Tab-separated table of all heavy atoms in Angstrom:
chain	number	residue	atom	x	y	z
A	1	MET	N	-36.631	43.208	-2.826
A	1	MET	CA	-36.453	44.069	-3.996
A	1	MET	C	-37.780	44.728	-4.364
A	1	MET	O	-38.798	44.071	-4.470
A	1	MET	CB	-35.924	43.206	-5.158
A	1	MET	CG	-35.619	43.981	-6.414
A	1	MET	SD	-34.273	45.166	-6.165
A	1	MET	CE	-34.426	46.111	-7.669
A	2	LEU	N	-37.733	46.046	-4.529
A	2	LEU	CA	-38.938	46.789	-4.874
A	2	LEU	C	-39.343	46.526	-6.316
A	2	LEU	O	-38.500	46.338	-7.178
A	2	LEU	CB	-38.677	48.289	-4.752
A	2	LEU	CG	-38.464	48.906	-3.372
A	2	LEU	CD1	-38.161	50.369	-3.531
A	2	LEU	CD2	-39.669	48.709	-2.504
A	3	SER	N	-40.633	46.573	-6.575
A	3	SER	CA	-41.086	46.608	-7.956
A	3	SER	C	-41.028	48.054	-8.434
A	3	SER	O	-40.918	48.980	-7.623
A	3	SER	CB	-42.518	46.089	-8.039
A	3	SER	OG	-43.380	46.991	-7.391
A	4	CYS	N	-41.106	48.263	-9.739
A	4	CYS	CA	-41.080	49.627	-10.267
A	4	CYS	C	-42.267	50.427	-9.729
A	4	CYS	O	-42.152	51.620	-9.479
A	4	CYS	CB	-41.114	49.597	-11.786
A	4	CYS	SG	-39.546	49.091	-12.487
A	5	LYS	N	-43.379	49.747	-9.525
A	5	LYS	CA	-44.566	50.422	-9.000
A	5	LYS	C	-44.290	50.952	-7.596
A	5	LYS	O	-44.594	52.107	-7.280
A	5	LYS	CB	-45.728	49.419	-8.988
A	5	LYS	CG	-47.081	50.081	-9.048
A	5	LYS	CD	-48.169	49.028	-9.082
A	5	LYS	CE	-49.391	49.567	-8.379
A	5	LYS	NZ	-50.278	48.485	-7.938
A	6	ASP	N	-43.699	50.104	-6.755
A	6	ASP	CA	-43.366	50.529	-5.393
A	6	ASP	C	-42.321	51.633	-5.402
A	6	ASP	O	-42.391	52.586	-4.627
A	6	ASP	CB	-42.823	49.348	-4.583
A	6	ASP	CG	-43.892	48.324	-4.284
A	6	ASP	OD1	-45.074	48.710	-4.224
A	6	ASP	OD2	-43.544	47.151	-4.120
A	7	ALA	N	-41.337	51.506	-6.286
A	7	ALA	CA	-40.260	52.481	-6.335
A	7	ALA	C	-40.778	53.860	-6.725
A	7	ALA	O	-40.440	54.850	-6.079
A	7	ALA	CB	-39.192	52.015	-7.326
A	8	THR	N	-41.639	53.924	-7.729
A	8	THR	CA	-42.159	55.232	-8.143
A	8	THR	C	-43.056	55.821	-7.051
A	8	THR	O	-43.078	57.034	-6.854
A	8	THR	CB	-42.943	55.126	-9.464
A	8	THR	OG1	-43.901	54.089	-9.368
A	8	THR	CG2	-42.027	54.855	-10.630
A	9	LYS	N	-43.739	54.959	-6.328
A	9	LYS	CA	-44.571	55.436	-5.226
A	9	LYS	C	-43.691	56.077	-4.151
A	9	LYS	O	-43.985	57.161	-3.649
A	9	LYS	CB	-45.376	54.275	-4.640
A	9	LYS	CG	-46.669	54.729	-4.016
A	9	LYS	CD	-47.618	53.581	-3.800
A	9	LYS	CE	-47.182	52.726	-2.601
A	9	LYS	NZ	-48.041	51.542	-2.431
A	10	LEU	N	-42.593	55.430	-3.821
A	10	LEU	CA	-41.676	55.986	-2.821
A	10	LEU	C	-41.046	57.285	-3.301
A	10	LEU	O	-40.838	58.210	-2.522
A	10	LEU	CB	-40.570	54.968	-2.493
A	10	LEU	CG	-40.971	53.777	-1.640
A	10	LEU	CD1	-39.755	52.908	-1.372
A	10	LEU	CD2	-41.584	54.216	-0.329
A	11	VAL	N	-40.738	57.345	-4.598
A	11	VAL	CA	-40.126	58.559	-5.148
A	11	VAL	C	-41.054	59.749	-4.944
A	11	VAL	O	-40.616	60.811	-4.492
A	11	VAL	CB	-39.787	58.378	-6.647
A	11	VAL	CG1	-39.497	59.718	-7.307
A	11	VAL	CG2	-38.591	57.450	-6.810
A	12	SER	N	-42.341	59.582	-5.230
A	12	SER	CA	-43.240	60.730	-5.042
A	12	SER	C	-43.522	60.972	-3.562
A	12	SER	O	-43.696	62.108	-3.134
A	12	SER	CB	-44.529	60.580	-5.842
A	12	SER	OG	-44.959	59.264	-5.871
A	13	GLN	N	-43.527	59.895	-2.799
A	13	GLN	CA	-43.760	60.024	-1.355
A	13	GLN	C	-42.648	60.809	-0.675
A	13	GLN	O	-42.876	61.585	0.244
A	13	GLN	CB	-43.851	58.624	-0.756
A	13	GLN	CG	-44.501	58.566	0.603
A	13	GLN	CD	-44.523	57.137	1.121
A	13	GLN	OE1	-44.849	56.204	0.379
A	13	GLN	NE2	-44.152	56.944	2.360
A	14	LYS	N	-41.416	60.628	-1.124
A	14	LYS	CA	-40.310	61.269	-0.433
A	14	LYS	C	-40.240	62.774	-0.688
A	14	LYS	O	-39.500	63.472	-0.023
A	14	LYS	CB	-38.975	60.583	-0.775
A	14	LYS	CG	-38.273	61.066	-2.017
A	14	LYS	CD	-37.000	60.228	-2.208
A	14	LYS	CE	-36.443	60.403	-3.597
A	14	LYS	NZ	-35.679	61.623	-3.751
A	15	GLN	N	-41.056	63.269	-1.628
A	15	GLN	CA	-41.135	64.713	-1.820
A	15	GLN	C	-41.937	65.369	-0.695
A	15	GLN	O	-41.717	66.530	-0.374
A	15	GLN	CB	-41.786	65.060	-3.166
A	15	GLN	CG	-41.100	64.470	-4.379
A	15	GLN	CD	-39.759	65.118	-4.670
A	15	GLN	OE1	-39.471	66.211	-4.208
A	15	GLN	NE2	-38.917	64.441	-5.422
A	16	ASP	N	-42.858	64.636	-0.135
A	16	ASP	CA	-43.759	65.219	0.868
A	16	ASP	C	-43.484	64.732	2.280
A	16	ASP	O	-43.760	65.409	3.244
A	16	ASP	CB	-45.211	64.865	0.528
A	16	ASP	CG	-45.567	65.233	-0.885
A	16	ASP	OD1	-45.230	66.356	-1.283
A	16	ASP	OD2	-46.156	64.399	-1.580
A	17	ALA	N	-42.943	63.535	2.379
A	17	ALA	CA	-42.737	62.960	3.704
A	17	ALA	C	-41.370	62.297	3.743
A	17	ALA	O	-40.797	61.990	2.705
A	17	ALA	CB	-43.813	61.926	3.986
A	18	GLN	N	-40.884	62.096	4.962
A	18	GLN	CA	-39.606	61.443	5.056
A	18	GLN	C	-39.788	59.930	5.042
A	18	GLN	O	-40.699	59.396	5.646
A	18	GLN	CB	-38.888	61.886	6.323
A	18	GLN	CG	-37.458	62.169	5.955
A	18	GLN	CD	-36.681	62.762	7.103
A	18	GLN	OE1	-37.077	62.687	8.262
A	18	GLN	NE2	-35.557	63.342	6.776
A	19	LEU	N	-38.906	59.261	4.321
A	19	LEU	CA	-38.985	57.817	4.238
A	19	LEU	C	-38.203	57.191	5.381
A	19	LEU	O	-37.271	57.794	5.906
A	19	LEU	CB	-38.402	57.339	2.909
A	19	LEU	CG	-39.019	57.894	1.634
A	19	LEU	CD1	-38.320	57.314	0.418
A	19	LEU	CD2	-40.496	57.592	1.566
A	20	SER	N	-38.576	55.997	5.735
A	20	SER	CA	-37.816	55.265	6.737
A	20	SER	C	-36.479	54.845	6.144
A	20	SER	O	-36.295	54.858	4.916
A	20	SER	CB	-38.599	54.036	7.198
A	20	SER	OG	-38.589	53.081	6.166
A	21	LEU	N	-35.564	54.472	7.005
A	21	LEU	CA	-34.241	54.058	6.536
A	21	LEU	C	-34.349	52.887	5.561
A	21	LEU	O	-33.721	52.876	4.509
A	21	LEU	CB	-33.376	53.664	7.743
A	21	LEU	CG	-31.916	53.355	7.430
A	21	LEU	CD1	-31.209	54.561	6.837
A	21	LEU	CD2	-31.200	52.871	8.669
A	22	MET	N	-35.195	51.918	5.904
A	22	MET	CA	-35.377	50.761	5.033
A	22	MET	C	-35.923	51.164	3.666
A	22	MET	O	-35.484	50.665	2.643
A	22	MET	CB	-36.362	49.758	5.679
A	22	MET	CG	-35.709	48.760	6.596
A	22	MET	SD	-34.264	47.974	5.852
A	22	MET	CE	-35.051	46.973	4.595
A	23	GLN	N	-36.889	52.090	3.682
A	23	GLN	CA	-37.464	52.546	2.415
A	23	GLN	C	-36.410	53.234	1.566
A	23	GLN	O	-36.343	53.037	0.364
A	23	GLN	CB	-38.624	53.497	2.685
A	23	GLN	CG	-39.873	52.792	3.149
A	23	GLN	CD	-40.964	53.778	3.534
A	23	GLN	OE1	-40.705	54.773	4.201
A	23	GLN	NE2	-42.171	53.495	3.120
A	24	ARG	N	-35.598	54.070	2.238
A	24	ARG	CA	-34.569	54.789	1.481
A	24	ARG	C	-33.542	53.844	0.882
A	24	ARG	O	-33.124	54.011	-0.257
A	24	ARG	CB	-33.867	55.801	2.387
A	24	ARG	CG	-34.667	57.097	2.520
A	24	ARG	CD	-33.822	58.170	3.138
A	24	ARG	NE	-33.203	57.634	4.357
A	24	ARG	CZ	-33.095	58.292	5.503
A	24	ARG	NH1	-33.511	59.510	5.587
A	24	ARG	NH2	-32.547	57.730	6.553
A	25	ILE	N	-33.148	52.840	1.660
A	25	ILE	CA	-32.150	51.894	1.166
A	25	ILE	C	-32.702	51.103	-0.012
A	25	ILE	O	-32.049	50.980	-1.052
A	25	ILE	CB	-31.689	50.946	2.297
A	25	ILE	CG1	-30.853	51.741	3.307
A	25	ILE	CG2	-30.880	49.791	1.728
A	25	ILE	CD1	-30.533	50.958	4.565
A	26	SER	N	-33.920	50.590	0.132
A	26	SER	CA	-34.442	49.787	-0.974
A	26	SER	C	-34.704	50.639	-2.209
A	26	SER	O	-34.490	50.183	-3.329
A	26	SER	CB	-35.688	48.987	-0.578
A	26	SER	OG	-36.393	49.592	0.442
A	27	LEU	N	-35.115	51.894	-1.986
A	27	LEU	CA	-35.312	52.782	-3.129
A	27	LEU	C	-33.982	53.045	-3.837
A	27	LEU	O	-33.886	52.985	-5.056
A	27	LEU	CB	-35.947	54.091	-2.665
A	27	LEU	CG	-36.219	55.124	-3.757
A	27	LEU	CD1	-37.171	54.579	-4.819
A	27	LEU	CD2	-36.793	56.408	-3.165
A	28	ARG	N	-32.950	53.328	-3.047
A	28	ARG	CA	-31.640	53.615	-3.632
A	28	ARG	C	-31.121	52.424	-4.436
A	28	ARG	O	-30.595	52.574	-5.527
A	28	ARG	CB	-30.658	53.994	-2.524
A	28	ARG	CG	-29.341	54.536	-2.994
A	28	ARG	CD	-28.983	55.891	-2.433
A	28	ARG	NE	-30.041	56.873	-2.529
A	28	ARG	CZ	-30.211	57.690	-3.570
A	28	ARG	NH1	-29.416	57.634	-4.609
A	28	ARG	NH2	-31.181	58.568	-3.583
A	29	LEU	N	-31.297	51.221	-3.864
A	29	LEU	CA	-30.863	50.017	-4.566
A	29	LEU	C	-31.604	49.860	-5.886
A	29	LEU	O	-31.021	49.532	-6.915
A	29	LEU	CB	-31.119	48.777	-3.705
A	29	LEU	CG	-30.094	48.518	-2.604
A	29	LEU	CD1	-30.558	47.325	-1.767
A	29	LEU	CD2	-28.719	48.235	-3.191
A	30	HIS	N	-32.901	50.120	-5.849
A	30	HIS	CA	-33.697	49.987	-7.061
A	30	HIS	C	-33.250	51.000	-8.114
A	30	HIS	O	-33.075	50.659	-9.275
A	30	HIS	CB	-35.179	50.164	-6.742
A	30	HIS	CG	-36.069	49.920	-7.924
A	30	HIS	ND1	-36.644	48.717	-8.195
A	30	HIS	CD2	-36.438	50.759	-8.938
A	30	HIS	CE1	-37.338	48.812	-9.320
A	30	HIS	NE2	-37.234	50.047	-9.793
A	31	LEU	N	-33.023	52.242	-7.671
A	31	LEU	CA	-32.647	53.288	-8.618
A	31	LEU	C	-31.278	53.020	-9.241
A	31	LEU	O	-31.009	53.453	-10.356
A	31	LEU	CB	-32.646	54.657	-7.930
A	31	LEU	CG	-34.021	55.173	-7.489
A	31	LEU	CD1	-33.880	56.528	-6.828
A	31	LEU	CD2	-34.983	55.260	-8.647
A	32	MET	N	-30.414	52.311	-8.499
A	32	MET	CA	-29.102	51.987	-9.057
A	32	MET	C	-29.211	51.015	-10.221
A	32	MET	O	-28.383	50.993	-11.107
A	32	MET	CB	-28.196	51.378	-7.976
A	32	MET	CG	-27.543	52.443	-7.120
A	32	MET	SD	-26.159	51.814	-6.157
A	32	MET	CE	-26.927	50.527	-5.209
A	33	MET	N	-30.277	50.211	-10.178
A	33	MET	CA	-30.395	49.158	-11.185
A	33	MET	C	-31.443	49.438	-12.241
A	33	MET	O	-31.515	48.737	-13.234
A	33	MET	CB	-30.719	47.829	-10.488
A	33	MET	CG	-29.530	47.267	-9.765
A	33	MET	SD	-29.962	45.762	-8.905
A	33	MET	CE	-30.799	46.401	-7.481
A	34	CYS	N	-32.272	50.446	-12.015
A	34	CYS	CA	-33.409	50.658	-12.902
A	34	CYS	C	-33.371	52.070	-13.471
A	34	CYS	O	-33.632	53.041	-12.756
A	34	CYS	CB	-34.697	50.408	-12.135
A	34	CYS	SG	-36.158	50.662	-13.128
A	35	SER	N	-33.022	52.198	-14.730
A	35	SER	CA	-32.884	53.534	-15.324
A	35	SER	C	-34.244	54.186	-15.524
A	35	SER	O	-34.358	55.406	-15.500
A	35	SER	CB	-32.119	53.456	-16.641
A	35	SER	OG	-32.790	52.620	-17.543
A	36	GLY	N	-35.286	53.389	-15.692
A	36	GLY	CA	-36.628	53.939	-15.854
A	36	GLY	C	-37.054	54.733	-14.630
A	36	GLY	O	-37.509	55.872	-14.735
A	37	CYS	N	-36.868	54.141	-13.458
A	37	CYS	CA	-37.255	54.808	-12.225
A	37	CYS	C	-36.304	55.955	-11.891
A	37	CYS	O	-36.694	56.937	-11.273
A	37	CYS	CB	-37.313	53.807	-11.080
A	37	CYS	SG	-38.687	52.659	-11.256
A	38	LYS	N	-35.066	55.822	-12.306
A	38	LYS	CA	-34.109	56.899	-12.098
A	38	LYS	C	-34.535	58.145	-12.877
A	38	LYS	O	-34.509	59.258	-12.364
A	38	LYS	CB	-32.732	56.446	-12.588
A	38	LYS	CG	-31.614	56.977	-11.750
A	38	LYS	CD	-30.363	56.232	-12.105
A	38	LYS	CE	-29.169	57.141	-11.994
A	38	LYS	NZ	-27.934	56.351	-12.041
A	39	ASN	N	-34.956	57.936	-14.114
A	39	ASN	CA	-35.487	59.039	-14.919
A	39	ASN	C	-36.722	59.641	-14.276
A	39	ASN	O	-36.890	60.852	-14.244
A	39	ASN	CB	-35.859	58.555	-16.326
A	39	ASN	CG	-34.645	58.430	-17.205
A	39	ASN	OD1	-33.633	59.086	-16.971
A	39	ASN	ND2	-34.729	57.582	-18.198
A	40	TYR	N	-37.571	58.767	-13.761
A	40	TYR	CA	-38.794	59.227	-13.108
A	40	TYR	C	-38.430	60.112	-11.914
A	40	TYR	O	-39.007	61.182	-11.730
A	40	TYR	CB	-39.609	58.019	-12.659
A	40	TYR	CG	-40.869	58.382	-11.922
A	40	TYR	CD1	-41.983	58.844	-12.608
A	40	TYR	CD2	-40.941	58.272	-10.528
A	40	TYR	CE1	-43.137	59.191	-11.930
A	40	TYR	CE2	-42.093	58.613	-9.846
A	40	TYR	CZ	-43.185	59.072	-10.547
A	40	TYR	OH	-44.325	59.412	-9.868
A	41	GLU	N	-37.457	59.677	-11.125
A	41	GLU	CA	-37.043	60.458	-9.965
A	41	GLU	C	-36.551	61.833	-10.386
A	41	GLU	O	-36.848	62.845	-9.771
A	41	GLU	CB	-35.933	59.738	-9.190
A	41	GLU	CG	-35.614	60.448	-7.889
A	41	GLU	CD	-34.273	60.059	-7.308
A	41	GLU	OE1	-33.345	59.761	-8.080
A	41	GLU	OE2	-34.149	60.072	-6.074
A	42	ARG	N	-35.784	61.863	-11.489
A	42	ARG	CA	-35.251	63.140	-11.961
A	42	ARG	C	-36.382	64.085	-12.384
A	42	ARG	O	-36.361	65.276	-12.099
A	42	ARG	CB	-34.295	62.894	-13.124
A	42	ARG	CG	-33.196	63.917	-13.143
A	42	ARG	CD	-32.052	63.610	-14.077
A	42	ARG	NE	-32.324	62.502	-14.967
A	42	ARG	CZ	-31.397	61.637	-15.379
A	42	ARG	NH1	-30.172	61.755	-14.976
A	42	ARG	NH2	-31.705	60.668	-16.199
A	43	GLN	N	-37.372	63.505	-13.070
A	43	GLN	CA	-38.503	64.328	-13.510
A	43	GLN	C	-39.290	64.874	-12.336
A	43	GLN	O	-39.649	66.047	-12.296
A	43	GLN	CB	-39.430	63.501	-14.405
A	43	GLN	CG	-38.902	63.383	-15.818
A	43	GLN	CD	-39.678	62.343	-16.600
A	43	GLN	OE1	-40.807	62.022	-16.248
A	43	GLN	NE2	-39.081	61.816	-17.650
A	44	ILE	N	-39.579	64.020	-11.375
A	44	ILE	CA	-40.312	64.438	-10.175
A	44	ILE	C	-39.566	65.578	-9.488
A	44	ILE	O	-40.159	66.561	-9.045
A	44	ILE	CB	-40.456	63.242	-9.203
A	44	ILE	CG1	-41.499	62.271	-9.728
A	44	ILE	CG2	-40.812	63.711	-7.812
A	44	ILE	CD1	-42.934	62.661	-9.436
A	45	ASP	N	-38.253	65.436	-9.431
A	45	ASP	CA	-37.426	66.441	-8.796
A	45	ASP	C	-37.553	67.792	-9.486
A	45	ASP	O	-37.706	68.829	-8.848
A	45	ASP	CB	-35.972	65.962	-8.874
A	45	ASP	CG	-35.250	66.232	-7.591
A	45	ASP	OD1	-35.786	65.846	-6.541
A	45	ASP	OD2	-34.165	66.848	-7.656
A	46	VAL	N	-37.487	67.773	-10.813
A	46	VAL	CA	-37.615	68.997	-11.610
A	46	VAL	C	-38.990	69.630	-11.392
A	46	VAL	O	-39.108	70.826	-11.144
A	46	VAL	CB	-37.391	68.682	-13.105
A	46	VAL	CG1	-37.809	69.849	-13.981
A	46	VAL	CG2	-35.932	68.329	-13.346
A	47	ILE	N	-40.025	68.793	-11.460
A	47	ILE	CA	-41.384	69.284	-11.283
A	47	ILE	C	-41.555	69.895	-9.895
A	47	ILE	O	-42.120	70.970	-9.732
A	47	ILE	CB	-42.400	68.129	-11.483
A	47	ILE	CG1	-42.398	67.708	-12.950
A	47	ILE	CG2	-43.799	68.544	-11.046
A	47	ILE	CD1	-43.139	66.415	-13.201
A	48	HIS	N	-41.014	69.205	-8.913
A	48	HIS	CA	-41.148	69.680	-7.539
A	48	HIS	C	-40.464	71.031	-7.350
A	48	HIS	O	-41.010	71.926	-6.728
A	48	HIS	CB	-40.541	68.638	-6.600
A	48	HIS	CG	-40.974	68.807	-5.179
A	48	HIS	ND1	-42.227	68.448	-4.748
A	48	HIS	CD2	-40.332	69.307	-4.106
A	48	HIS	CE1	-42.331	68.729	-3.453
A	48	HIS	NE2	-41.201	69.246	-3.039
A	49	LYS	N	-39.265	71.153	-7.906
A	49	LYS	CA	-38.546	72.423	-7.798
A	49	LYS	C	-39.300	73.529	-8.520
A	49	LYS	O	-39.374	74.654	-8.035
A	49	LYS	CB	-37.141	72.283	-8.379
A	49	LYS	CG	-36.227	71.557	-7.425
A	49	LYS	CD	-34.785	71.697	-7.859
A	49	LYS	CE	-33.887	70.929	-6.901
A	49	LYS	NZ	-33.205	69.804	-7.551
A	50	ALA	N	-39.869	73.206	-9.684
A	50	ALA	CA	-40.632	74.188	-10.444
A	50	ALA	C	-41.844	74.651	-9.646
A	50	ALA	O	-42.147	75.839	-9.601
A	50	ALA	CB	-41.069	73.592	-11.780
A	51	CYS	N	-42.507	73.718	-8.998
A	51	CYS	CA	-43.672	74.058	-8.173
A	51	CYS	C	-43.276	75.000	-7.055
A	51	CYS	O	-43.983	75.953	-6.759
A	51	CYS	CB	-44.290	72.801	-7.557
A	51	CYS	SG	-45.205	71.834	-8.728
A	52	ARG	N	-42.158	74.722	-6.433
A	52	ARG	CA	-41.703	75.578	-5.336
A	52	ARG	C	-41.406	76.980	-5.837
A	52	ARG	O	-41.680	77.966	-5.177
A	52	ARG	CB	-40.472	74.977	-4.676
A	52	ARG	CG	-40.829	74.414	-3.317
A	52	ARG	CD	-39.622	74.028	-2.556
A	52	ARG	NE	-38.746	73.198	-3.373
A	52	ARG	CZ	-37.976	72.227	-2.893
A	52	ARG	NH1	-37.987	71.965	-1.627
A	52	ARG	NH2	-37.197	71.525	-3.670
A	53	ARG	N	-40.811	77.035	-7.047
A	53	ARG	CA	-40.481	78.342	-7.613
A	53	ARG	C	-41.758	79.137	-7.901
A	53	ARG	O	-41.849	80.312	-7.608
A	53	ARG	CB	-39.679	78.148	-8.907
A	53	ARG	CG	-38.939	79.414	-9.306
A	53	ARG	CD	-37.897	79.101	-10.378
A	53	ARG	NE	-37.260	77.805	-10.103
A	53	ARG	CZ	-36.740	77.023	-11.049
A	53	ARG	NH1	-36.792	77.366	-12.307
A	53	ARG	NH2	-36.172	75.883	-10.751
A	54	ILE	N	-42.769	78.446	-8.447
A	54	ILE	CA	-44.031	79.101	-8.773
A	54	ILE	C	-44.703	79.619	-7.496
A	54	ILE	O	-45.220	80.723	-7.452
A	54	ILE	CB	-44.957	78.128	-9.542
A	54	ILE	CG1	-44.403	77.909	-10.951
A	54	ILE	CG2	-46.387	78.667	-9.606
A	54	ILE	CD1	-44.997	76.729	-11.666
A	55	SER	N	-44.645	78.837	-6.450
A	55	SER	CA	-45.295	79.270	-5.194
A	55	SER	C	-44.478	80.328	-4.471
A	55	SER	O	-44.880	80.820	-3.426
A	55	SER	CB	-45.573	78.068	-4.282
A	55	SER	OG	-44.385	77.491	-3.868
A	56	GLY	N	-43.326	80.673	-5.003
A	56	GLY	CA	-42.624	81.874	-4.561
A	56	GLY	C	-41.645	81.707	-3.407
A	56	GLY	O	-41.213	82.677	-2.830
A	57	SER	N	-41.255	80.471	-3.109
A	57	SER	CA	-40.334	80.300	-1.988
A	57	SER	C	-38.890	80.026	-2.444
A	57	SER	O	-38.101	79.467	-1.716
A	57	SER	CB	-40.820	79.183	-1.068
A	57	SER	OG	-41.032	78.001	-1.792
A	58	ASP	N	-38.611	80.392	-3.681
A	58	ASP	CA	-37.258	80.161	-4.194
A	58	ASP	C	-36.388	81.403	-4.028
A	58	ASP	O	-36.761	82.480	-4.437
A	58	ASP	CB	-37.374	79.801	-5.675
A	58	ASP	CG	-36.018	79.456	-6.267
A	58	ASP	OD1	-35.428	78.445	-5.854
A	58	ASP	OD2	-35.563	80.214	-7.134
A	59	ASP	N	-35.241	81.265	-3.372
A	59	ASP	CA	-34.386	82.436	-3.296
A	59	ASP	C	-32.905	82.154	-3.409
A	59	ASP	O	-32.424	81.113	-3.600
A	59	ASP	CB	-34.613	83.252	-2.027
A	59	ASP	CG	-34.845	82.393	-0.802
A	59	ASP	OD1	-33.976	81.561	-0.500
A	59	ASP	OD2	-35.884	82.528	-0.167
B	1	LIG	ZN1	-37.853	50.567	-11.617
């Protein structure tokens, strides 16, 4: 079981690199049970999309 620290690290890591199957499974399990990290994932996602839009690759 991931700690919240590990889970948030994987969440930001998966924006830039692909996670291994094991990492994805443990992250998914953690996010199912932890609303704090789920919120964090949502925020990272929004920020990431906003960054992409600013850099001009949104169409
Ligand atoms: Zn957590």
Side-chain angles (χ1 to χ4, degrees):
M1 183 64 192
L2 291 177
S3 67
C4 286
K5 205 178 148 201
D6 291 333
T8 51
K9 208 164 75 184
L10 286 182
V11 165
S12 37
Q13 198 181 316
K14 86 182 165 80
Q15 303 289 341
D16 307 314
Q18 224 174 17
L19 303 180
S20 72
L21 186 61
M22 272 311 290
Q23 285 175 316
R24 278 193 310 222
I25 290 171
S26 27
L27 180 60
R28 190 125 311 270
L29 281 175
H30 185 94
L31 293 180
M32 278 196 302
M33 287 177 282
C34 179
S35 59
C37 290
K38 216 167 146 167
N39 281 336
Y40 178 76
E41 187 198 32
R42 212 168 10 214
Q43 281 169 22
I44 286 279
D45 221 51
V46 168
I47 292 168
H48 197 75
K49 283 193 181 115
C51 285
R52 253 190 310 213
R53 198 166 322 153
I54 289 165
S55 65
S57 54
D58 184 65
D59 39 57

